[in-house]
Amino acid sequence: MPLLILLMLLILPMPVAAQTAGQGVAVSVLVVGEVVDGDIVCNYTGEIKRCNTAYDGSIYGVYVAEPALALENLSLTDAKTVATSGKAYVRVNDGNGQIKKGDYVTSSSTAGVGQRATKSGYVIGTALEDADEGESK
């Protein structure tokens, strides 16, 4: 009988739930100050907070409110999940021109917001789609 049940589970269709916000691994960390979904955060001498310098060499990751997979440190209270690898939506502006698919994205002087990288330097990743004009996600 157990074999029959196992086979039935393998044969019968099962509903599948999918994440749409991000497809990466996030870790829980203490973040200084307010962050919104998609903010680029940096590690400034042990403090994780929104990046506020273009091409910042301290880029740590992207704050993701609902990551696909989170590695949580239960000893931290008020921790935020920050994606350090994979795909995530990032807040961007068009300060260095409109971002097109394939462009490199870096931090900007606007806290937490990315921009198109137009020179060599630190980047968060590459754009997987075109961004709208102005500030978008």
Side-chain angles (χ1 to χ4, degrees):
M1 191 66 168
L3 180 61
L4 178 60
I5 294 171
L6 176 63
L7 290 175
M8 293 300 284
L9 289 175
L10 294 175
I11 294 171
L12 295 176
M14 303 287 286
V16 177
Q19 295 284 336
T20 58
Q23 300 173 342
V25 177
V27 295
S28 62
V29 295
L30 292 176
V31 177
V32 176
E34 293 296 317
V35 288
V36 296
D37 198 23
D39 273 350
I40 300 173
V41 294
C42 289
N43 185 352
Y44 296 121
T45 61
E47 285 188 336
I48 308 292
K49 55 186 176 180
R50 295 189 304 174
C51 299
N52 57 13
T53 306
Y55 299 91
D56 201 317
S58 301
I59 293 175
Y60 185 76
V62 177
Y63 168 64
V64 181
E66 296 180 18
L69 175 66
L71 304 175
E72 295 188 46
N73 182 346
L74 299 177
S75 67
L76 298 177
T77 57
D78 297 326
K80 307 286 186 190
T81 49
V82 175
T84 56
S85 65
K87 298 177 185 178
Y89 286 102
V90 177
R91 292 179 54 220
V92 295
N93 63 32
D94 57 3
N96 274 349
Q98 186 178 6
I99 296 174
K100 300 287 187 188
K101 181 179 180 178
D103 285 344
Y104 287 103
V105 177
T106 187
S107 56
S108 72
S109 58
T110 305
V113 178
Q115 67 182 358
R116 182 172 156 247
T118 56
K119 62 181 184 178
S120 181
Y122 291 96
V123 297
I124 191 75
T126 57
L128 299 178
E129 58 188 40
D130 294 350
D132 296 332
E133 291 186 36
E135 189 172 310
S136 64
K137 191 173 181 182

